[in-house]
């Protein structure tokens, strides 16, 4: 399980192109999830135009990036959504996109099913409406289930069900597994980070130390459940989970936001982790020449974790989780499985945490209950 040490060391120094390029197409969203990593809601009038987006796709193709992760906001809100993903597929770039499912009616499901190299990921945050709607808004769970039904009716094939692990959803792991089996779908679990609006709810919603330990054991027994390196901080408990088991920010992953800003990873949308803008010199120049990315590719400093025998397993944890809880990069992950992160947070007391930027949150509560 996990990547071998030599491969991981190579990836830590960065690659000629990212393995995982996330592109948020728009900040516009018809939901207002409490943990939204990009504080989405309102469209930014400066978002990339259709022509600019197509040029970016062409550049990505020239870099031989095999696939892109498209998100938002809700990407299907963009009127040119299908035009852009069909352009990407035409350039032999695979597209994986995350959606709340509200725009996947029977007609959209059939169109999605007609496109090759396309992976659809439906987001829910509970195995029932009560749990999920608490995070994503009233009616959102039922809308997501309708999307799943429509994809199945359109013979889309195997889609993904994506769940953020909160202190509530982590108690429903078996139910999520059963739901995925019901649809013949893949289950993908991701970590709750204190990013975007998640900064305000992280303390309330993140899993406890004991829940994280149970999650590790559950995942260890199910290598078919996808995680995308979300939980490499748990690998200190024993055998590494599937994946690279390292922070890939600026090394093998990065984020392009709707206005073309490039950030080290999707969870650190903050000026301190901004590497450049694709409108200035193109994405390739940012990836290869950014001073920020060069610094992130330097050998890591164990810092306060140097005395811990498990540093090689967890690599000190998630950069975003540390940053947005007010910890230093040299501190342990706030969810360190040995409790060192909790000790570090307690030692700092009520420190001022960084404020995520930008904030496109909606000003009016969202409900889908009437649909």
């Amino acid at each position: 399980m996990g990547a071998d040490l030599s491969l991981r060391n190579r990836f830590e120094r960065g690659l000629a192109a990212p393995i995982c390029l996330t592109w948020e197409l728009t900040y516009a969203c018809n939901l207002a999830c409490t943990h939204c990593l990009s504080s989405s809601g309102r469209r930014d009038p400066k978002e990339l135009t259709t022509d600019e987006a197509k040029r970016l796709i062409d550049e990505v193709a020239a870099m031989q990036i095999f696939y892109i992760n498209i998100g938002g906001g809700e990407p299907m809100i963009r009127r040119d959504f299908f035009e852009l993903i069909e352009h990407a597929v035409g350039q032999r770039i695979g597209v994986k996109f995350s959606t709340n499912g509200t725009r996947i009616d029977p007609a959209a499901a059939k169109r999605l099913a007609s496109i090759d190299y396309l992976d659809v990921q439906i987001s829910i945050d509970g195995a029932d409406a009560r749990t999920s709607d608490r995070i994503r808004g009233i009616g959102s769970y039922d809308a997501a289930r309708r999307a799943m039904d429509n994809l199945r009716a359109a013979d889309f094939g195997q889609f993904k069900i994506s769940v953020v692990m909160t202190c509530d959803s982590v108690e429903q792991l078996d139910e999520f597994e059963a739901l995925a089996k019901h649809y013949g779908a893949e289950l993908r679990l991701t970590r709750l980070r204190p990013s975007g609006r998640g900064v305000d709810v992280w303390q309330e919603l993140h899993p406890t130390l004991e829940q994280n330990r149970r999650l590790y054991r559950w995942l260890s027994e199910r290598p078919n459940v996808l995680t995308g390196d979300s939980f490499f901080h748990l690998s200190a408990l024993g055998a590494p989970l599937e994946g690279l088991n390292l922070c890939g920010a600026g090394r093998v992953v990065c984020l392009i936001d709707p206005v073309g800003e490039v950030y080290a990873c999707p969870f650190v949308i903050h000026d301190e982790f901004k590497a450049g803008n694709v409108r200035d010199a193109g994405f390739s120049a940012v990836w290869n020449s950014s001073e920020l990315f060069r610094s992130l590719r330097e050998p890591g400093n164990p810092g306060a974790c140097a005395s811990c025998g498990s540093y090689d397993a967890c690599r000190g944890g998630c950069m975003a989780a540390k940053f947005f809880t007010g910890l230093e990069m040299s501190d342990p992950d706030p969810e360190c499985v040995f409790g060192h992160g909790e000790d570090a947070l307690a030692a700092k007391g009520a420190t001022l945490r960084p404020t995520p930027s930008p904030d496109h949150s909606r000003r009016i509560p969202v409900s889908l209950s009437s649909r």
Side-chain angles (χ1 to χ4, degrees), residues 145-166:
R145 289 295 300 268
R146 284 194 298 271
M148 297 178 200
D149 292 337
N150 290 334
L151 288 173
R152 181 167 61 179
D155 294 323
F156 175 85
Q158 191 176 52
F159 56 87
K160 291 181 175 63
I161 298 174
S162 178
V163 188
V164 175
M165 287 289 93
T166 67

Side-chain angles (χ1 to χ4, degrees), residues 65-82:
I65 295 175
F66 297 119
Y67 74 88
I68 51 178
N69 285 318
I70 286 179
E74 171 48 52
M76 294 187 74
I77 284 180
R78 274 193 65 140
R79 295 180 179 179
D80 57 1
F81 169 76
F82 280 105

Side-chain angles (χ1 to χ4, degrees), residues 244-263:
L244 297 177
N245 282 283
L246 59 82
C247 173
R251 300 179 176 107
V252 297
V253 305
C254 71
L255 167 79
I256 302 174
D257 86 344
V259 300
E261 300 288 1
V262 182
Y263 295 89

Side-chain angles (χ1 to χ4, degrees), residues 268-280:
V268 285
I269 303 179
H270 187 278
D271 287 347
E272 188 165 329
F273 297 97
K274 187 186 297 182
N277 192 294
V278 300
R279 279 175 164 144
D280 297 330

Side-chain angles (χ1 to χ4, degrees), residues 108-299:
K110 288 180 181 178
R111 187 167 181 181
L112 291 170
S114 71
I115 302 173
D116 292 330
Y117 310 116
L118 181 64
D119 190 8
V120 179
Q121 182 170 287
I122 309 292
S123 296
I124 57 174
D125 286 313
D128 55 72
R130 179 177 176 274
T131 306
S132 188
D133 287 1
R134 176 190 174 198
I135 305 297
R136 307 185 66 82
I138 296 173
S140 59
Y141 178 82
D142 289 340
R145 289 295 300 268
R146 284 194 298 271
M148 297 178 200
D149 292 337
N150 290 334
L151 288 173
R152 181 167 61 179
D155 294 323
F156 175 85
Q158 191 176 52
F159 56 87
K160 291 181 175 63
I161 298 174
S162 178
V163 188
V164 175
M165 287 289 93
T166 67
C167 57
D168 294 323
S169 62
V170 77
E171 297 294 335
Q172 300 178 320
L173 292 170
D174 292 341
E175 288 88 341
F176 289 123
E177 187 176 37
L179 181 64
K181 183 178 181 180
H182 171 74
Y183 283 105
E186 290 184 289
L187 178 62
R188 184 174 189 269
L189 306 183
T190 60
R191 183 182 179 185
L192 174 69
R193 266 90 162 192
S195 308
R197 286 196 293 270
V199 167
D200 297 324
V201 299
W202 183 82
Q203 191 61 47
E204 171 193 354
L205 292 180
H206 79 92
T208 66
L209 190 58
E210 175 54 32
Q211 285 178 322
N212 271 322
R213 288 171 177 166
R214 283 192 276 122
L215 173 61
Y216 169 79
R217 293 192 293 269
W218 193 88
L219 288 172
S220 297
E221 296 169 357
R222 293 165 175 81
N224 59 307
V225 174
L226 307 175
T227 62
D229 281 316
S230 289
F231 305 104
F232 68 91
H233 66 298
L234 303 184
S235 291
L237 289 168
L241 297 171
E242 288 290 335
L244 297 177
N245 282 283
L246 59 82
C247 173
R251 300 179 176 107
V252 297
V253 305
C254 71
L255 167 79
I256 302 174
D257 86 344
V259 300
E261 300 288 1
V262 182
Y263 295 89
C265 94
F267 303 103
V268 285
I269 303 179
H270 187 278
D271 287 347
E272 188 165 329
F273 297 97
K274 187 186 297 182
N277 192 294
V278 300
R279 279 175 164 144
D280 297 330
F283 173 68
S284 178
V286 175
W287 178 258
N288 291 306
S289 304
S290 161
E291 289 299 321
L292 170 66
F293 286 175
R294 286 180 180 177
S295 67
L296 290 173
R297 293 163 189 167
E298 293 296 321

Side-chain angles (χ1 to χ4, degrees), residues 295-314:
S295 67
L296 290 173
R297 293 163 189 167
E298 293 296 321
N301 177 9
C305 299
S307 60
C308 177
S310 297
Y311 176 76
D312 284 342
C314 76

